[in-house]
Amino acid sequence: MGIECLAVTRTVTLQRVVQQLDKQQVQRWKNHIAMLVIFFTSVFLFFSIVQSEKPANDSGICHYALHVENDGPVTLDVPITISAKLDCASNEDEYFYIFEDDIQRTVQIPGHGSAKAVFIFTDDPGTRMVTVLVFQLFPSPKRVAAGNTFFNVYEYIPGSLHFSGAVINRNNHLIVTTGERTNVSLEVHYPTEVLKHSEFSYSWSIQETRFTTTVPYKIHIFNETGIQLLRAAVVARVPSYDGTNTSHFKWGYFDGELIAKDPFTNFNISGNTYLQHGQLLDLDITCNGSGPVDYCWKILPPNENETNLSCIEPVSANECSFPIIYYFHESGDYMLAIYVDNLVSSVQRNIEIHIYDVSLRPQLSTVIIPVVCTVLVVLIIAGAVVVHLRRQTSYDVETADFDFMTPEEPNVIAIETSWEIMRRSLLQLLQMRSVYCTSDGATLTNYGTILRTQEEINTNSAQLNE
């Protein structure tokens, strides 16, 4: 009995020892696995950071690339700086840069990711080239990249003129506004280091007026329209870069051309905007801005107000004067938007157009006036006929043949014939009637007599013949 109890006790003790050993072994494995995870995570992060510092292509492999730049252009006897930057260069590796110009002058500079070299050209202005070669020294010397750069070497100082507020038209002409301040500036194209250590003086010729300044700009107001010629000159005192404490002078000449134009200050629209249906819209547009101008116009509905009209296909005119002719197919109210631009200013006007219908009922005046005119013509014709008939009956007078002459009075009284009576009557119609007054104040109208003396007949005949 005692032996069995001892065996059971040893068995229980062994099981407990095995369980403790299993727990310790599991804990050790867990610790090992955690350390391995931390190790591999650190390695992964390290390579990720290193890889992110180097540019790579699509395949993940970094290739060397060299970028070469210069700070030109320059003039003769002025230094120019050539800069080289190497992509994929390691900060721990050392590289060797060789700069060589087109006359076989070389500059060798050791470095890491970038290097610079300075060249001075003393003769033969023109386009020059500098080539850069990069070699890796370790683990074995080899060339890893190459590149070059081009620049111009001038005899005179290079630069350009600029005009503030100027616009460029379709013919590449510079346009400025008259009456406004224009900043005319001169930009010298020189290396930065040379600009810092040099002294400059400027002279200007604008509209035959000359100025001298120590700053590279001049404020000017153009008052005349048309083509304006400008000239500028710059003189620079440049230090010598040969190690001596001396200086030399460089200069440059520049000229420019621009066109000054008047802006729009007055815009006139003449013509009828209240039309009958069927009439043409005929407007004359004038303004006092300088030409040539570009314009366009558009017919809009009455409720639409175009505030920013743009010309897709503008019409050009040499002067700011042009007509607008349009036919409206339907009556109603419209809005006419007009836009004019001469590059220095623009103007837009919106005009209301009214088209009303014409009534087809004939007006009363179109009926009364023709009727009244017809009646008057008939009355005039009838009156003329009556007057003519009355005068015709007055001409038909019988001639009585009475012989009252005595032998002692021959040829004193002559008898008028019918033809003579008609001629005398016609003459009386053309003359004023003779009015005689009697002794008692009464008037007596004498219409002539049948019997006339020979002297009166001869007188009347002579007047009629005249």
Side-chain angles (χ1 to χ4, degrees), residues 405 411-416 420 424 449-461:
M405 292 188 300
N411 299 329
V412 176
I413 298 175
I415 299 175
E416 290 182 325
E420 292 173 344
R424 180 171 53 80
T449 58
I450 296 177
L451 298 177
R452 295 291 182 182
T453 63
Q454 187 64 38
E455 182 179 0
E456 292 176 346
I457 294 173
N458 294 334
T459 302
N460 293 334
S461 299

Side-chain angles (χ1 to χ4, degrees), residues 168-288:
I168 302 176
N169 64 1
R170 61 175 61 94
N171 297 323
N172 292 328
H173 292 157
L174 294 175
I175 311 295
V176 296
T177 307
T178 57
E180 295 186 0
R181 295 163 60 90
T182 301
N183 185 2
V184 184
S185 60
L186 174 59
E187 181 183 3
V188 175
H189 300 161
Y190 242 17
T192 305
E193 293 297 327
V194 179
L195 292 176
K196 290 180 180 179
H197 301 94
S198 302
E199 298 178 358
F200 295 89
S201 178
Y202 307 88
S203 62
W204 314 83
S205 177
I206 303 175
Q207 292 180 324
E208 299 182 355
T209 304
R210 290 175 172 81
F211 312 91
T212 301
T213 62
T214 58
V215 293
Y217 62 88
K218 175 64 181 174
I219 304 298
H220 188 75
I221 299 177
F222 295 92
N223 295 319
E224 297 181 0
T225 60
I227 299 176
Q228 310 293 330
L229 298 178
L230 299 93
R231 292 181 174 87
V234 56
V235 178
R237 184 179 180 181
V238 182
S240 298
Y241 293 90
D242 54 0
T244 62
N245 191 15
T246 60
S247 61
H248 55 276
F249 292 92
K250 295 292 181 179
W251 54 88
Y253 304 96
F254 312 92
D255 55 12
E257 180 180 293
L258 53 82
I259 300 176
K261 301 181 69 173
D262 290 331
F264 297 126
T265 57
N266 192 10
F267 195 84
N268 296 323
I269 303 174
S270 60
N272 188 14
T273 59
Y274 196 79
L275 306 171
Q276 293 182 358
H277 187 210
Q279 291 181 330
L280 285 176
L281 175 66
D282 190 357
L283 302 178
D284 291 326
I285 312 299
T286 57
C287 51
N288 61 348

Side-chain angles (χ1 to χ4, degrees), residues 66-79:
L66 184 64
H67 303 280
V68 184
E69 298 178 350
N70 65 82
D71 60 353
V74 293
T75 57
L76 297 175
D77 304 320
V78 172

Side-chain angles (χ1 to χ4, degrees), residues 7 27 95 250 258 302 329 349 376 457:
Q27 186 65 33
Y95 301 91
K250 295 292 181 179
L258 53 82
H329 296 278
R349 292 290 184 271
L376 290 177
I457 294 173

